[in-house]
Amino acid sequence: MGKWADGAGTLTVPGGAAVPLEVAASYRARRRGLLGRDGVAGALLIVRTNSVHTFGMRFAIDVAYLDRSFRVLSVVTMRPGRLGMVRPRGRHVLEAEAGALAGWGVRAGVRVHVETGFAEGPDRGGLTEGPTPGGLTEGPTPGA
């Protein structure tokens, strides 16, 4: 499995603006997600998961299920106290406040761009070296 780490990054949607991104990679960060918060500035990427819940949430969220090449499989809005469906082809989940993903142009079929300070190899999600020093960005996935 690739090397993911908790941290910050940037989410870019084709034709859209750059959005601040928080990455939840550790067991603890993925388990906590947005629980106990009153909101989120930007978005949260939860890696290595294909389902989420909103039990204990204080606000409604948009959830985008992403495949291994960061292509959006589906986007749903979930109110607090809900259990999301498992997406078998899903590899990562993007969460934001309700309505935010549509405003950024995130919809099924769109491939989002993730830039972070860590990497997953090209065979594990399509991340390759990026333009910023020490940063890595999503690039073409072999065979895609």
Side-chain angles (χ1 to χ4, degrees):
M1 198 165 270
K3 296 179 182 176
W4 285 98
D6 295 341
T10 304
L11 170 75
T12 307
V13 181
V19 176
L21 183 69
E22 180 181 337
V23 178
S26 68
Y27 174 77
R28 184 177 184 166
R30 291 183 310 134
R31 183 168 168 84
R32 178 158 190 237
L34 296 175
L35 297 176
R37 299 187 194 185
D38 292 323
V40 59
L44 173 70
L45 176 66
I46 304 174
V47 299
R48 298 184 312 264
T49 192
N50 61 1
S51 67
V52 296
H53 69 83
T54 58
F55 298 115
M57 296 284 293
R58 297 179 181 165
F59 57 98
I61 60 172
D62 283 345
V63 177
Y65 295 90
L66 310 174
D67 69 8
R68 66 177 13 170
S69 66
F70 294 88
R71 188 169 311 280
V72 178
L73 300 172
S74 65
V75 179
V76 296
T77 299
M78 295 177 64
R79 295 182 308 185
R82 303 288 188 244
L83 178 63
M85 292 179 52
V86 173
R87 302 303 198 274
R89 292 185 314 142
R91 295 295 180 269
H92 312 288
V93 172
L94 189 63
E95 296 181 347
E97 290 190 25
L101 294 182
W104 299 331
V106 176
R107 62 185 182 285
V110 170
R111 188 171 179 195
V112 297
H113 179 84
V114 174
E115 183 176 323
T116 64
F118 54 92
E120 234 186 53
D123 59 333
R124 305 238 190 241
L127 297 180
T128 57
E129 287 190 42
T132 58
L136 298 176
T137 61
E138 176 191 7
T141 301

